[in-house]
Structure formats: C-alpha cells, structure tokens
Amino acid sequence: MNIVKAIYPGTFDPLTNGHLDLIARGAKIFDHLIVAILRNESKNPLFSVAERVEMITAATKSFENVSVATFDGLLVDFAKQQNAKALLRGIRAISDYEYELQMALMNRRLSGELETVFMMPAEKYSYVSSRLIKNVFRLGGSVDGLVPPMVAERLAARVAKDAKDESQTEIQ
Ligand code: PNS
C-alpha cells in the first residue's frame, strides 16, 4: 500500500488554534501527518521542546493519523528519514508568501523528491501567530479561543512564574 506521509514542521512556541486548524486540514488529505518541532534553542523559546511536545500531543490526541516528533539539522534530512513525501506549511496572508516561497524552493533544491504543500487556515485565524499570542498574553490581553486550553493554562502559569521571579529579583 502506498501511504502518503507528510511533515508539518515549525517552532510551535506555542501551538495556536491556527496551527491546529492546519493540522486538521492536513490530516484529512495525508495518510499520516507528523507535526515536527524544530529543536533550536538559539530562538530563545518561551516553552521547552518537551513542553511543546506535551501540549501538541494533548491537542492532537483525537487525530488517529497525527504524531508529534522533534528534529534538528536540515528538514529535508528529517523528511527523508521519516519517508515523507510532502511538507505542509500554512499561508495566512500575502506577507507569509515570500518567506515560504524561499523555504519551499530551497527545500526543493535540497531534495527534488519532496513537495511542499501550502494550505490556508480558517480566516478567523488569519492574523494569529505564536509571536502575537505571547505578546498579548504577557501584556494581560485575552487569547481565549485562539489557543488550545492546555496552552492557555501553561501560558498563565509561565507568566505568573516570570512575574514572581521578577519581583524576587527586585527585592534582592
Ligand atoms: O514555525 P517556523 O518558525 O516558521 O518554522 C520554520 C522551520 C522550522 C520550518 C524552518 O526554520 C526549518 O525548516 N528549519 C530547519 C533547518 C532547515 O532545514 N533549513 C533549510 C530550509 S530553508
């Protein structure tokens, strides 16, 4: 049987409902979808890779054909190792296009076998990004409905911890 496996790569710091929307769409057209988190500490993430694996695993547990993995090095090497035929990426707005085109063409140059497939998330998530979520949440704004419940809980816990650490530093 010819199983079509795809990789949905990203930083996912943190997972948003826009990412989840794309995962649901990808799970419908591919036999198996691997959500692959880049292990790149140089990006100074809010959540550790282990925390992100945990959150994505919880949020995708209802999808039988979705799994979660981590990778470092070249994405095309990870895709080859996993026997994947496609990379899935989301395009929210025209502003995403240039960066995505560059990556897709570079990945094609590195591995001609691998296709990049672009999908659009639901319009209601077209302005949602992990960066904005972190920013709004840190400043006390509501991100209700924009992230899965477990992500909202972890964000609240992290912001409370950071505030406590900061007040202790000020006292010292
Ligand atoms: O969610 P992001 O941060 O836009 O995801 C970017 C990601 C992880 C897909 C990209 O940085 C990546 O593939 N990095 C792995 C290194 C690599 O293969 N670089 C060459 C591809 S252009």
Side-chain angles (χ1 to χ4, degrees), residues 9-12 19 36 38 43 71 73-76 89 99-100 102-104 106-107 110:
T11 308
F12 305 109
H19 294 131
L38 176 66
K43 277 199 172 182
F71 76 102
L74 282 179
L75 177 57
V76 292
R89 291 288 289 174
Y99 169 60
E100 294 299 332
Q102 282 180 355
M103 276 207 302
M106 180 57 85
N107 284 330
L110 294 169

Side-chain angles (χ1 to χ4, degrees), residues 6-22:
I7 310 271
Y8 179 35
T11 308
F12 305 109
D13 185 42
L15 180 79
T16 69
N17 283 348
H19 294 131
L20 256 190
D21 179 277
L22 215 77

Side-chain angles (χ1 to χ4, degrees), residues 58-116:
T60 57
K61 65 175 188 290
S62 62
F63 299 102
E64 279 179 5
N65 61 340
V66 173
S67 58
V68 183
T70 66
F71 76 102
D72 57 14
L74 282 179
L75 177 57
V76 292
D77 290 341
F78 176 70
K80 197 173 282 173
Q81 190 194 314
Q82 296 296 322
N83 232 346
K85 291 207 171 61
L87 299 174
L88 173 65
R89 291 288 289 174
I91 293 205
R92 293 162 298 191
I94 197 77
S95 49
D96 285 337
Y97 178 74
E98 206 165 327
Y99 169 60
E100 294 299 332
L101 178 73
Q102 282 180 355
M103 276 207 302
L105 293 180
M106 180 57 85
N107 284 330
R108 180 185 283 168
R109 186 176 187 276
L110 294 169
S111 171
E113 305 280 280
L114 197 62
E115 286 299 333
T116 299

